Amino acid sequence: MPASETIETFMDNIKTTLRDDSTFGPNVKKFEYIQDGNIPYIQKTQVPYVGIAAVSWPEEWISTGKRQVVFTVRVFIVNHFMQRETPIVGSGASIRGMTDYVMQAMDALRNQTFSNYLSRPIELSPSASETLEYEDSAFQMVATITAVGNRIFVP
């Protein structure tokens, strides 16, 4: 099983899990695969937005006849806001902040093996959000979750 095929399966599993999660999925307007670190221009009508990027997928022999591939994928969550503080923590139940989106995405992915596709549950690491000025006095906030999955297989 070539690693290039398995990274695609890993990314598909992440996308499907996030899209189908009843808390997170309905709030996201666009899911797509992107190049790592290259978030495209996102229109206001496309946020919240999720970009999924492959980072690495090295393989190694772990025993006679068994190989392990370690997938690393970044999930970028993007939203636009008119105020700087609200995007981080939200404002009650009516306005979700980036911490809400990150926690919902992590809840959807936490402990996933994708029907035993992975050899152990996915590992998740959120990182700090980045705020960029956008058009019309709006701010674009980008949060990143790094997802790592291990798969042991017989070639």
Side-chain angles (χ1 to χ4, degrees):
M1 161 185 344
S4 61
E5 290 179 25
T6 59
I7 189 69
E8 292 166 1
T9 303
F10 184 60
M11 292 172 67
D12 287 344
N13 281 322
I14 289 173
K15 181 179 178 181
T16 300
T17 299
L18 291 174
R19 186 190 62 222
D20 294 349
D21 182 76
S22 62
T23 304
F24 184 77
N27 296 308
V28 176
K29 295 202 175 128
K30 186 171 185 179
F31 289 89
E32 72 179 344
Y33 300 119
I34 62 172
Q35 182 180 356
D36 188 36
N38 189 14
I39 297 171
Y41 175 81
I42 301 164
Q43 298 175 3
K44 290 179 185 178
T45 58
Q46 295 176 317
V47 294
Y49 165 94
V50 171
I52 301 168
V55 176
S56 65
W57 52 98
E59 284 187 28
E60 65 180 355
W61 288 103
I62 58 170
S63 69
T64 303
K66 287 188 180 180
R67 292 187 62 79
Q68 173 179 261
V69 61
V70 179
F71 310 114
T72 303
V73 167
R74 287 197 183 99
V75 177
F76 298 95
I77 304 170
V78 181
N79 209 346
H80 296 163
F81 298 93
M82 297 305 287
Q83 301 172 357
R84 275 193 185 267
E85 188 171 314
T86 303
I88 298 169
V89 295
S91 177
S94 61
I95 301 175
R96 289 193 170 113
M98 289 305 285
T99 54
D100 298 318
Y101 286 107
V102 169
M103 293 312 297
Q104 288 171 355
M106 289 184 59
D107 286 346
L109 294 170
R110 188 173 286 117
N111 296 321
Q112 283 286 342
T113 61
F114 306 119
S115 299
N116 294 320
Y117 177 74
L118 298 178
S119 300
R120 64 179 188 225
I122 193 170
E123 297 174 26
L124 303 169
S125 301
S127 60
S129 298
E130 179 181 0
T131 304
L132 308 167
E133 285 198 40
Y134 192 66
E135 57 192 42
D136 300 330
S137 301
F139 298 94
Q140 176 175 286
M141 184 165 266
V142 181
T144 307
I145 299 170
T146 302
V148 176
N150 291 21
R151 179 170 169 79
I152 296 171
F153 63 96
V154 177

